[in-house]
């Protein structure tokens, strides 16, 4: 599989403050990569460097097959950037915004208009094409913003917190758009987000950045297995069953009033099946059973640190 981004030894400092301290990344083409970390961890700086907005102090970087230091124009031609704050001109219509980008890319009048119509249809904006963008909802503006990024058919798109401020329905619409870009167009998505559910939902690979260093990498499931905390909570149907079970099921905590116990769960089906078989064998009735597995919130809190002030 072709590599979309390759980074070795990326460093960046501002005065005595080192923002990035030896970052290594490899991102395959046609995947969603998420860079997560606390505010101030270096996410925005990483995106700014990879998108040619600022220069690195050190490191070997290739983006879309081009050396970032030697071929910045070729890199710019291959990427698109959708920032946290919309680049939409509110005084122009949706169609005019897209045609403006087409003109800036020198697509030509005929091709530019055709590309604008194609993207308006794809992003369900045809009915609003000739309305000022100022009248668009937040979700519509975000779709238009991403459509503007796609006018030049980039191989790699940097999405910086693309669903900030959107309602749940608009957020899920954006998620589907991102999936379609990867699955249908083969585009690579470099995502930064504060919504860990979003990263979990979309990402093929995640890297956690803390204090300017990568502290963990892997698929969402691999990251979740890095931290403890999985457990099973059982609420018993009656006090007798609770008393008989509490000392035999390996509970780490119990609540006599609520008739509940919490049991460590290393993951997998086998421990849960053994527990259910024991309860059935001893004719103990259960009112409720729930399984908690560590999520990306747990991973984030366990592995990252607040930035130094």
């Amino acid at each position: 599989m072709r590599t979309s981004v390759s980074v070795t030894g990326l460093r960046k400092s501002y005065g005595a403050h080192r923002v990035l301290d030896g970052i290594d990344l490899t991102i395959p083409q046609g995947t969603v990569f998420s860079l997560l970390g606390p505010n101030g961890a270096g996410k925005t700086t990483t995106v700014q460097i990879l998108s040619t907005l600022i220069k690195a102090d050190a490191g070997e970087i290739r983006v879309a097959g081009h050396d970032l230091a030697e071929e910045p124009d070729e890199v710019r031609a291959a990427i698109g950037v959708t920032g946290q704050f919309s680049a939409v001109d509110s005084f122009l219509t949706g169609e005019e915004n897209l045609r403006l980008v087409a003109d800036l890319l020198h697509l030509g009048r005929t091709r530019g208009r055709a590309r604008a119509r194609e993207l308006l249809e794809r992003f369900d904006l045809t009915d609003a094409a000739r309305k000022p963008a100022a009248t668009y909802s937040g979700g519509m503006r975000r779709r238009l913003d991403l459509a503007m990024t796609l006018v030049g058919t980039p191989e790699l798109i940097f999405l910086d917190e693309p669903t900030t401020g959107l309602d749940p329905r608009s957020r899920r619409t954006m998620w589907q758009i991102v999936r379609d870009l990867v699955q249908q167009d083969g585009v690579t998505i470099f995502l930064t987000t504060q919504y860990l559910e979003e990263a979990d939902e979309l990402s093929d690979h995640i890297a956690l950045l803390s204090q300017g260093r990568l502290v963990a990498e892997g698929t969402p499931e691999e990251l979740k297995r890095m931290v403890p905390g999985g457990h099973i909570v059982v609420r018993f149907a009656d006090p007798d069953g609770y008393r008989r079970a509490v000392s035999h099921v390996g509970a780490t905590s119990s609540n006599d009033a609520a008739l509940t116990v919490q049991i460590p769960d290393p993951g997998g089906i086998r421990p849960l099946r053994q527990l259910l078989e024991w309860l059935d064998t001893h004719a103990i009735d259960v009112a409720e059973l729930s399984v908690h597995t560590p999520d990306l919130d747990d991973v984030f809190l366990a592995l990252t640190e607040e930035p130094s002030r």
Side-chain angles (χ1 to χ4, degrees):
M1 182 179 290
R2 180 183 173 189
T3 298
S4 183
V5 177
S6 176
V7 177
T8 305
L10 174 59
R11 299 181 188 277
K12 180 67 177 178
S13 298
Y14 292 102
H17 177 52
R18 179 162 287 179
V19 181
L20 298 174
D21 191 9
I23 302 299
D24 297 334
L25 291 174
T26 301
I27 305 173
Q29 179 72 28
T31 61
V32 179
F33 171 85
S34 290
L35 184 63
L36 307 180
N39 291 330
K43 302 187 300 296
T44 298
T45 300
T46 302
V47 171
Q48 289 177 332
I49 290 172
L50 296 180
S51 59
T52 77
L53 294 177
I54 61 176
K55 292 185 177 181
D57 295 337
E60 296 181 3
I61 307 168
R62 296 190 69 84
V63 176
H66 302 287
D67 186 289
L68 189 71
E70 300 294 331
E71 304 171 287
D73 289 341
E74 286 79 357
V75 170
R76 293 185 192 109
I79 68 173
V81 180
T82 300
Q84 181 178 353
F85 302 103
S86 173
V88 171
D89 188 322
S90 297
F91 294 100
L92 300 179
T93 67
E95 184 177 15
E96 288 169 342
N97 270 283
L98 291 168
R99 287 168 54 187
L100 174 61
V101 176
D103 289 342
L104 292 172
L105 293 172
H106 307 291
L107 294 189
R109 181 183 177 88
T110 301
R111 185 181 170 200
R113 287 177 178 240
R115 184 65 174 153
R117 287 194 299 270
E118 175 190 338
L119 290 168
L120 287 166
E121 183 176 353
R122 177 171 184 174
F123 286 84
D124 196 22
L125 293 169
T126 301
D127 291 343
R130 298 190 177 182
K131 295 179 181 178
T135 66
Y136 286 16
S137 68
M140 291 170 66
R141 288 178 66 90
R142 212 62 181 124
R143 298 203 306 274
L144 177 59
D145 199 20
L146 184 52
M148 291 165 64
T149 301
L150 289 171
V151 170
T153 59
E155 299 177 33
L156 166 66
I157 298 176
F158 294 94
L159 291 182
D160 186 12
E161 302 190 20
T163 63
T164 297
L166 297 186
D167 61 71
R169 181 174 286 104
S170 296
R171 180 172 297 134
R172 291 186 178 275
T173 298
M174 283 297 296
W175 290 357
Q176 189 57 53
I177 289 171
V178 169
R179 293 190 191 99
D180 291 343
L181 285 171
V182 174
Q183 295 169 5
Q184 298 176 16
D185 298 39
V187 173
T188 305
I189 301 294
F190 189 114
L191 176 71
T192 67
T193 179
Q194 297 291 354
Y195 298 114
L196 300 187
E197 178 195 7
E198 183 165 274
D200 196 359
E201 184 77 22
L202 294 176
S203 304
D204 299 297
H205 195 85
I206 295 174
L208 274 178
L209 193 61
S210 180
Q211 305 281 18
R213 298 185 179 187
L214 290 181
V215 294
E217 285 186 79
T219 67
E221 293 308 314
E222 288 170 343
L223 290 181
K224 293 171 192 176
R225 290 196 291 268
M226 289 183 180
V227 299
H231 59 267
I232 301 169
V233 176
V234 182
R235 182 167 66 86
F236 294 90
D238 56 77
D240 177 64
Y242 168 76
R243 286 191 295 269
R244 287 192 291 135
V246 69
S247 60
H248 291 88
V249 294
T252 54
S253 64
S254 58
N255 185 318
D256 295 344
L259 303 181
T260 62
V261 297
Q262 181 171 302
I263 305 163
D265 178 24
I269 297 298
R270 189 172 183 179
L272 179 60
R273 184 171 60 236
Q274 290 175 337
L275 172 64
L276 294 174
E277 288 174 350
W278 187 90
L279 293 170
D280 185 56
T281 299
H282 292 82
I284 296 175
D285 291 332
V286 171
E288 185 179 355
L289 184 147
S290 61
V291 179
H292 173 81
T293 57
D295 55 24
L296 285 184
D297 286 46
D298 298 316
V299 176
F300 187 94
L301 293 172
L303 300 181
T304 64
E305 303 176 30
E306 285 289 332
S308 55
R309 301 294 180 184

